[in-house]
Amino acid sequence: MSLSQVAKAAGVSKMTASRVLRGEGGYSEKTRDLVMEKVDLLGYLPNRLATVFAGDQISTFVGVSIPDLGNEVFSQVLEGIDRKLGAFGHQTVLGLTQHTPEEEANWIRTVLSWQPAGLILTGRFHAPRATDMLRNAGIPIIEIWDLNSSPLDMSVGINHFDAGFDMGRYLVGLGYRNIAYVGTSHDTANAATTRLAGFTKAVEGGSGQVTKQLCLHDTAAYYPGYYGTEQLLASSPYIECIFYQNDAMAFGGLQYCKANGMDVPVDIGIAGWGDLPVAAVLPQRLTSMHVPHLKLGQAAAEMMIARLSGEPVTDVRDIGFKLIPGSTVRNLAGLA
Amino acid sequence: MSLSQVAKAAGVSKMTASRVLRGEGGYSEKTRDLVMEKVDLLGYLPNRLATVFAGDQISTFVGVSIPDLGNEVFSQVLEGIDRKLGAFGHQTVLGLTQHTPEEEANWIRTVLSWQPAGLILTGRFHAPRATDMLRNAGIPIIEIWDLNSSPLDMSVGINHFDAGFDMGRYLVGLGYRNIAYVGTSHDTANAATTRLAGFTKAVEGGSGQVTKQLCLHDTAAYYPGYYGTEQLLASSPYIECIFYQNDAMAFGGLQYCKANGMDVPVDIGIAGWGDLPVAAVLPQRLTSMHVPHLKLGQAAAEMMIARLSGEPVTDVRDIGFKLIPGSTVRNLAGLA
DNA sequence: TTGAAAGCGTTACCAG
DNA sequence: CTGGTAACGCTTTCAA
């Protein structure tokens, strides 16, 4: 079902039909009614491939790469992006890149070949060949999540080093000295790595130490937090406080501690990261750090849309975070 | 950067270059090396728009509509779909359709205009104009989640009526009679509605009754479960057991009960639906129903790929569910 | 093994 | 207000 067929049915040229369909004027009422009647009758749907292909027109695709959706945080970011993008007539082409630059690079190559209007990528670490392709693409690129102060093009997110640092300073400030970290391991550096670096710096600068770093070969989810804590405490029973890669792991750890008769925060301190929605209904507030995930996604989509519309855009936007003191850690001052 | 430019640089015709790039044979070693050298040099990326457009070739896009990602269940389904699709060289074009047929229909129209290879839609209730478009599209369509025994084309999911029925029968079998439901409201019927219908039928058939149905104008998440329970118990204090739309709401409800000094399951029974991953670390097993969400998504993607490859496909696939007895309900037999 | 020409569905541009 | 023609980047088909 093509435009020519509609045009033929209506007894006009395809140019006239094209003009009617785009509503750009230059035809009579009568002609329009005639054409639209045939469009409805034949159930004609324009072929956007041809449209983009023909004109200088830009496609309405935006490629969005996300590490994984098992992590609620990224689901929220994606939700923010797609809702906002959709509201402006754009479509998300999704890529779940598993935190690996290799997968990301492959996905970038494929998506670029579809002539997207722009790309939104999670993280700031890309394979060299990906970087080359991105530079040559000549389309807006936004790096989200891990704020990149000298981005390929644009960036929205937070400074994970600072976020880790603030949490470290907070815990040391409460009097914790012998602190552990539980997270997952990745082949490549990512935001969690950066957070840990900031965290370690603050702890060591405050005369504490990150005694043990346990990096599991698993997903950063509830159950790994549970058994990771078990592993950690089996080998290092004198830990005073544990900082987790995210809230899901921290919650798993919290449950492990409770299940094994520990009193949190009296026997051990627990701190997470990300502030999951489930926190709203829990009796004990998890010490964590709030990041406006949905807003982050929306901000990225807005930046993309602004850039595509030729509006002036600030290239780097820090979306901010907020420490949540919670009640899973306590002030040790005067107790030593 | 087009194929002709590469061809010109290599001193061959674009047909030769095209053949080399597709690796379909019909050229000499020397020619291939020459062309590939220029491809690398110029950083040429094929324009897939043109490829699909030119040949009878099918695009590698698959449109996937999902109600929302705030619900962990759908994140998992999407993860299953995209991973499997990606492994076979297809790309997900996402649509968050908010549970409304209107939004879905708009999205379908847009996505179809991009000539997707197929469509995966959540739910079985579509706007009439959507159904028309889908029928005319002539591409594989899979309706997931809510199993459709006479689908538009194909369907994978579970029978939500049966799932609700089984839970109802289970609770009535334990001796519960005065049961309430807490969920969210939607303009249109969806799987939750169907579950509730099956649930009600089983309860009433077992001489119990669904005394109160509380449908909140909110998302089916933790906190609505919490305050929904508060509202419910304020108006109907004699409820023996509450069935929730999903586990997130049930967990919120459970927390409300505990926070208010109730003993679950002694004072009140709690049952959820969907079996969230967080259950793995909780001390008390939530009575729920397990659905293999990730597998469901993978199965849908596999069906799509099989159909696109021309392999024979079973059109309707029931992915099954499993009741999880849990410990948030109890057997009332002999206690009356 | 290679190349020239036609065409995919649409829009830009220019004539009428 | 309307229509013809060329062009977008690629593949198909046919000829050399």
Side-chain angles (χ1 to χ4, degrees):
Chain A
M1 182 52 44
S2 74
L3 188 59
S4 350
Q5 294 175 57
V6 173
K8 187 180 294 178
V12 300
S13 74
K14 51 180 189 164
M15 265 323 296
T16 303
S18 171
R19 278 190 275 256
V20 169
L21 277 157
R22 281 174 295 151
E24 48 122 74
Y27 43 80
S28 65
E29 284 269 311
K30 194 173 123 259
T31 306
R32 194 199 56 206
D33 295 345
L34 196 58
V35 172
M36 291 314 282
E37 181 195 320
K38 297 303 175 190
V39 165
D40 290 342
L41 186 70
L42 300 170
Y44 167 74
L45 266 187
N47 182 339
R48 294 280 276 121
L49 250 41
T51 306
V52 173
F53 183 55
D56 296 324
Q57 303 219 14
I58 208 166
S59 92
T60 53
F61 284 132
V62 175
V64 179
S65 85
I66 296 282
D68 74 292
L69 294 172
N71 193 333
E72 235 179 299
V73 158
F74 292 124
S75 299
Q76 289 174 36
V77 171
L78 178 58
E79 173 126 25
I81 292 175
D82 188 71
R83 285 239 188 283
K84 187 64 80 175
L85 239 33
F88 285 84
H90 288 268
Q91 290 79 46
T92 299
V93 178
L94 181 62
L96 260 29
T97 48
Q98 298 251 50
H99 294 281
T100 89
E102 267 316 296
E103 290 224 29
E104 189 196 54
N106 290 337
W107 176 83
I108 287 172
R109 173 170 248 286
T110 306
V111 170
L112 282 180
S113 73
W114 286 107
Q115 318 294 113
L119 249 38
I120 298 178
L121 308 172
T122 304
R124 54 190 295 183
F125 302 101
H126 314 289
R129 66 191 176 100
T131 312
D132 290 345
M133 288 188 286
L134 293 170
R135 283 194 216 288
N136 289 331
I139 55 173
I141 313 271
I142 308 184
E143 292 167 276
I144 62 169
W145 189 233
D146 197 352
L147 191 70
N148 197 335
S149 53
S150 50
L152 282 165
D153 184 12
M154 294 176 274
S155 182
V156 205
I158 66 162
N159 186 319
H160 288 258
F161 188 92
D162 290 353
F165 191 90
D166 282 11
M167 180 59 87
R169 190 171 51 186
Y170 176 66
L171 296 180
V172 168
L174 290 176
Y176 290 108
R177 291 292 175 269
N178 188 9
I179 303 176
Y181 172 81
V182 175
T184 61
S185 68
H186 295 283
D187 300 336
T188 324
N190 62 16
T193 317
T194 310
R195 246 149 41 215
L196 177 55
F199 181 77
T200 304
K201 172 143 192 194
V203 169
E204 291 177 350
S207 68
Q209 61 173 319
V210 181
T211 314
K212 176 112 185 180
Q213 296 175 15
L214 184 64
C215 290
L216 306 165
H217 290 277
D218 205 331
T219 53
Y222 294 103
Y223 185 60
Y226 189 94
Y227 80 76
T229 305
E230 181 168 31
Q231 273 183 34
L232 175 80
L233 295 180
S235 69
S236 312
Y238 302 117
I239 293 297
E240 296 169 338
C241 181
I242 310 177
F243 175 47
Y244 291 82
Q245 183 174 329
N246 66 23
D247 269 21
M249 296 192 82
F251 187 67
L254 179 61
Q255 294 303 322
Y256 172 82
C257 291
K258 287 188 171 176
N260 288 273
M262 283 176 256
D263 182 350
V264 176
V266 174
D267 297 327
I268 193 165
I270 298 276
W273 202 87
D275 191 30
L276 292 184
V278 69
V281 300
L282 295 172
Q284 189 175 19
R285 194 71 174 92
L286 183 64
T287 297
S288 185
M289 199 158 263
H290 179 75
V291 180
H293 303 297
L294 201 75
K295 185 178 156 201
L296 196 163
Q298 290 174 336
E302 279 163 5
M303 247 164 136
M304 180 59 72
I305 288 156
R307 175 63 87 73
L308 291 173
S309 327
E311 292 164 26
V313 178
T314 313
D315 287 349
V316 175
R317 178 160 171 203
D318 191 334
I319 207 84
F321 54 81
K322 197 176 132 218
L323 194 133
I324 294 172
S327 62
T328 54
V329 296
R330 62 174 181 151
N331 197 328
L332 303 179
L335 299 176
Chain B
M1 182 52 45
S2 75
L3 188 59
S4 352
Q5 294 175 58
V6 173
K8 186 179 295 178
V12 299
S13 75
K14 51 180 189 164
M15 262 324 297
T16 302
S18 170
R19 278 191 274 257
V20 169
L21 276 157
R22 279 174 297 150
E24 49 123 74
Y27 45 80
S28 65
E29 284 270 308
K30 195 175 122 255
T31 307
R32 194 201 55 206
D33 295 345
L34 196 60
V35 171
M36 290 314 283
E37 181 195 320
K38 296 303 176 191
V39 165
D40 291 341
L41 187 72
L42 300 171
Y44 168 73
L45 265 187
N47 181 340
R48 296 279 277 120
L49 250 42
T51 306
V52 173
F53 183 55
D56 295 324
Q57 303 217 15
I58 208 166
S59 92
T60 52
F61 285 133
V62 175
V64 178
S65 85
I66 296 282
D68 74 292
L69 294 172
N71 192 335
E72 236 179 297
V73 158
F74 293 123
S75 298
Q76 288 175 35
V77 171
L78 178 58
E79 174 127 24
I81 293 175
D82 188 70
R83 286 238 188 282
K84 187 64 81 178
L85 240 33
F88 285 83
H90 288 268
Q91 290 79 47
T92 299
V93 179
L94 181 62
L96 261 27
T97 48
Q98 300 250 49
H99 294 280
T100 88
E102 267 315 298
E103 291 223 27
E104 190 197 53
N106 290 337
W107 177 82
I108 287 173
R109 172 172 250 286
T110 305
V111 170
L112 281 181
S113 74
W114 287 106
Q115 318 294 112
L119 249 39
I120 297 179
L121 308 172
T122 304
R124 55 189 296 180
F125 302 102
H126 314 289
R129 68 193 175 97
T131 313
D132 290 345
M133 288 189 284
L134 293 171
R135 282 195 215 289
N136 290 332
I139 55 173
I141 312 271
I142 308 184
E143 293 167 277
I144 62 168
W145 188 233
D146 198 351
L147 191 69
N148 197 335
S149 54
S150 51
L152 281 165
D153 184 11
M154 294 176 275
S155 183
V156 205
I158 67 163
N159 185 319
H160 287 259
F161 188 92
D162 290 353
F165 191 90
D166 282 11
M167 180 58 88
R169 190 171 50 184
Y170 177 66
L171 296 180
V172 168
L174 290 176
Y176 289 109
R177 292 292 174 270
N178 188 10
I179 303 176
Y181 173 83
V182 175
T184 60
S185 67
H186 295 284
D187 301 336
T188 323
N190 62 14
T193 318
T194 311
R195 253 159 21 227
L196 177 56
F199 182 77
T200 305
K201 172 142 192 197
V203 169
E204 291 176 352
S207 68
Q209 60 173 322
V210 181
T211 314
K212 176 112 188 181
Q213 295 175 14
L214 183 64
C215 290
L216 306 163
H217 291 278
D218 205 330
T219 53
Y222 294 102
Y223 185 61
Y226 189 95
Y227 80 77
T229 304
E230 180 169 31
Q231 273 182 34
L232 175 78
L233 295 179
S235 68
S236 313
Y238 301 117
I239 293 297
E240 296 169 339
C241 182
I242 310 177
F243 176 47
Y244 291 82
Q245 182 174 330
N246 65 22
D247 269 20
M249 296 191 81
F251 187 67
L254 179 61
Q255 295 303 323
Y256 173 81
C257 291
K258 287 187 170 176
N260 288 274
M262 283 175 255
D263 182 351
V264 177
V266 175
D267 297 328
I268 192 164
I270 299 276
W273 202 88
D275 191 32
L276 291 185
V278 69
V281 300
L282 295 172
Q284 189 174 19
R285 194 70 175 93
L286 184 64
T287 296
S288 185
M289 198 158 264
H290 178 76
V291 180
H293 303 298
L294 200 74
K295 186 178 156 200
L296 196 162
Q298 288 173 338
E302 278 163 7
M303 248 164 135
M304 178 59 72
I305 289 156
R307 175 62 87 70
L308 292 172
S309 328
E311 293 165 26
V313 178
T314 312
D315 287 350
V316 174
R317 178 160 171 204
D318 191 333
I319 206 84
F321 54 81
K322 196 176 131 219
L323 194 132
I324 292 172
S327 62
T328 54
V329 296
R330 60 174 183 154
N331 197 328
L332 303 179
L335 298 176

